[in-house]
Structures are given as structure tokens and as C-alpha cells.
Amino acid sequence: MASDFDALCIDSARLMDRLMSLAEVSPIAGGGNCRLALTDADRDGRDLVVSWMRDLNMDISIDAVGNIIACWNVGSGAPVMTGSHIDTVRTGGKFDGNYGVLAGLEVVETCQRNGYIPSRPLAVGIFTDEEGARFAPDMLGSLVYVGGMTTEEALDITAIDGPRLGDELVRIGYAGSAPCPGPVPHSFVELHIEQGPLLEANNVRIGAVTGVQGISWQEVTVVGQSNHAGTTPMSLRHDPTYVAAEIAVFLRQLSARFGDHQVCTVGKMDVFPNLINVVAARVTLTLDVRNTDENLLQQAEHEIAEFLEKIAIAEGVTITTKKLARFEPVVFDPRVIDIIESIAKQQSNTVERMPSGAGHDAQMLARVCPSAMIFVPSVNGISHNPAEHTDTEDLVAGANILLHTMLTLCATDLGRSR
Ligand code: GLV
Ligand code: MN
Ligand code: MN
């Protein structure tokens, strides 16, 4: 049996076929996808992946925020779970999230076809709205799954284009009845593309992910005095566009002062009325601020708040803020990281330990069960971009590590009676 176990490996053609078929749902120019959470496109992606879950005779449950959990109910005890998301940003790639979900199905199918029965159930989750691009916060589905936000609060969140999350769930047919928080797994491991440049730069194939950096999202609204662009002297302006630009520059300078682990992004800016010859009335911009160190993240938030106060007075504008997301840095379970690292090595991969720059569902599952992640390289470190790419051999290597990590976890006592 031991040698059968060692020889188990995923079917690379089947994994790539599923990845490419899902990439045909709402493709965009440049080879990526637009499946913003709970849009028709997201529904079409869900329908396709659920059909594959049914083909594998998995038990499928859909909860009140639309998380889909498919379980292959073999063995006994709580399942070893994997999963990720299939929603994308507006200009998403083919692999972000999708890879983790479809590799999970590949793990199940590999066991089934080889007659290998794990000692615990295996579960694969598709978590709602991981991206947070349409409904903030990010990782919303997994946050609710672990009890970090109530269902009622989640259902009431409004999209950047207006509708309520609960109404969109009903509209696309994914408002389920399974309760939240959901059942606690034995353990959770998520496979994902790195989405950054480090593995490629270091010529390393596998990242054993040690944790996820902290994240702070807020929306800032600057209201000034709208006026004529030709007649209003510069000295008399209260121009929200100028203030928004100053805020972006301040964030860039703050990142430089705080060092490598500080990243800041102004990714969305809405100007009203957005016309060439009108000093704007109002600008709304988003701030995405992240650091691996919670103290530094708090310090950054503090300095940003001070700057907003100062510039509002100096420019005679009104500034209001709305918190969109706030998650502290997360440290993954060292036992799960060790298993990932040693399996990656056994399978003749180069491996290094690294934190994640991006947010992931695993950081939420880590609140309730031992969790960690596996990364594979992103070509040129590009993600949240249709050009996102990972070489097939890296995708396959990662999926094989996921397979053996999940099966090893099935047989590992992690110290609690699940
Ligand atoms: C989720 O993809 C994030 O923004 O990190
Ligand atoms: Mn992702
Ligand atoms: Mn993403």
C-alpha cells in the first residue's frame, strides 16, 4: 500500500482541461476572465464546477452566503479540506483561485480512479467573493464560514454597482440553506499561484506559505468646491482631484519610509462630474494598505488618518472615510507547513518558506483549524491581470503536493478530536 500511495499522481491533462474550460466562462481580451462575485458570469462558472463535483459523486452543500462545499464522504471524522475561489477581479487571470478549486477536484478524482480510499473525507470549497472587488471585504465567504461575520451582515453588503449581496445570491440561484458558520474541518490546505515575483526570481518551484500579511482597506471621499476650470484662480480652489493625488503621493512616500514589507495602493478613483473643464465636486478613492507586521500596519493607518486631517484643513475640503476591510496578519500552522515542505522535497522540488502578499481563504480557515498554503510561481510575478500565467509543469507539481499533503493530513493527528 505504501508504494501505491507514493506512486499516486494527478492527471495533468485532466487538470489543464478543467482549468481551460473554466477559463472559457466569461473570457476577456488578453486571455483572462471577468467573473466578479455573484454576477451572471460567476453563476456560470459555479454551474460548471458544480457539474464536475456531481460527476465525482461528491455531496454538495451550499450555505447562506453561497459558499459551495463538496465532500467525498469516505473514511471517518472531520474532512481534510482544500479550496479557494472562482470569482475574479474585473481583469482577472485564469489561475487565481480557480487553480486551487480545480486541483482539489483533481485530488478527489485521482484517489477515486486509483481506488485509494483516504481515512478521512476530502472536501473542496468554493468560497464566495474572495476577491472583495465587487463586495468588500475580501475573503467574505470564508470569513462568514468561520463565524467572523454574521450571515445577516454579509447579506446586507452592497456592491460597487449597487445591488445587495443577499439579492444577488438569490438572483443567481446560490442562496443555500446550509448553516453558517460551517462545519469545522480537520485541517485546511490551499493551493494557489504566488501572484508575485519571488519564486521565479529565486528559481524555486514551491512556496511553503508561512502566513498572510495584514490588510487594511478604506474608501476615502473628498468633497470640494466644484467650479469653472477657466475662471477659478488657483489660489481660490478647493479641488478634490488635487487632494486625491496628494493622498496617493503620501501613500507612496509612506511605503518608502516604512520599507519593503509596506505596500500601499490607490486602485480605484471615481471623480464627479468627471469633465475636462470642471473643477471636480467630489472624488472617491480606495486605499489598500498591507504589512506583515501588525504594529507597522497600525502605524501606517495612524499616519494616513493624520495626513487626511491635515490636508482637509489646508485645502478647505471635507474628507470622510469608510472602513472596507481589516484583517491582522495570520500565521499558518507549523505542522502543516512542515508537511508541505517535506512532501515538496520528497517530490524533488525546490521549496522555500514565504509569507503571502495576497489575501486568501486559508487565512480565514486558519481561525478554526490547522491551515497552510502551497504556492507555485507566477511568470513575471504578474496577477490580477489577464496576462497572469503559470507553467503547466509548475501547476502539476503543485497539485501533486496538494494530493499528498491532503492524504498525509488524513493520517495525521493534529491534536484535537475532530
Ligand atoms: C485578494 O486577491 C487580495 O486582494 O489579496
Ligand atoms: Mn486568489
Ligand atoms: Mn485575486
Side-chain angles (χ1 to χ4, degrees), residues 13-14 33 41 64 69 82 87 122 142 167 187 196 220 224 233 267 285 294 313 340 346 368 392 416:
R14 201 166 53 205
N33 289 95
I69 310 293
T82 188
D87 68 313
L122 298 183
S142 46
D167 296 335
S187 49
V220 177
L285 63 158
E294 173 63 19
I313 293 166
I340 290 167
Q346 271 163 32
V368 295
T392 299
R416 287 186 237 167

Side-chain angles (χ1 to χ4, degrees), residues 84-85 87 95-98 130-131 190 192-193 195 358-361 383-384:
S84 195
H85 61 99
D87 68 313
F95 302 107
D96 177 359
N98 308 311
E130 188 273 350
E131 294 291 2
E190 180 174 356
H192 208 283
I193 55 168
Q195 308 184 271
H360 295 290
D361 295 307
S383 187
H384 284 186

Side-chain angles (χ1 to χ4, degrees), residues 37 77 84 129 198 214 238 273:
S84 195
D129 185 43
L198 300 180
H238 307 284

Side-chain angles (χ1 to χ4, degrees), residues 165-185:
L165 187 140
D167 296 335
E168 285 296 83
L169 267 178
V170 171
R171 190 186 66 76
I172 69 164
Y174 278 91
S177 56
C180 296
V184 175

Side-chain angles (χ1 to χ4, degrees), residues 28-95:
I28 56 172
N33 289 95
C34 176
R35 285 196 303 272
L36 288 165
L38 310 187
T39 55
D40 290 357
D42 186 16
R43 177 202 53 217
D44 294 347
R46 286 164 175 257
D47 288 352
L48 180 62
V49 181
V50 166
S51 76
W52 292 329
M53 291 167 161
R54 288 198 209 292
D55 292 344
L56 296 175
N57 291 315
M58 300 177 81
D59 294 330
I60 298 169
S61 77
I62 301 174
D63 70 23
V65 292
N67 294 316
I68 302 167
I69 310 293
C71 194
W72 182 32
N73 269 314
V74 290
S76 60
V80 171
M81 189 187 276
T82 188
S84 195
H85 61 99
I86 62 166
D87 68 313
T88 72
V89 295
R90 201 191 302 284
T91 50
K94 305 191 248 311
F95 302 107

Side-chain angles (χ1 to χ4, degrees), residues 344-379:
K345 284 181 184 159
Q346 271 163 32
Q347 296 184 358
S348 306
N349 298 289
T350 45
V351 54
E352 73 180 27
R353 292 181 175 227
M354 62 192 299
S356 171
H360 295 290
D361 295 307
Q363 78 188 80
M364 297 306 165
L365 272 294
R367 295 185 184 192
V368 295
C369 67
S371 302
M373 296 186 71
I374 307 162
F375 275 175
V376 293
S378 292
V379 172

Side-chain angles (χ1 to χ4, degrees), residues 137-158:
D138 48 354
M139 286 83 67
L140 180 138
S142 46
L143 179 67
V144 176
Y145 186 88
V146 301
M149 179 187 278
T150 64
T151 305
E152 294 68 34
E153 195 183 340
L155 297 180
D156 239 5
I157 292 172
T158 47

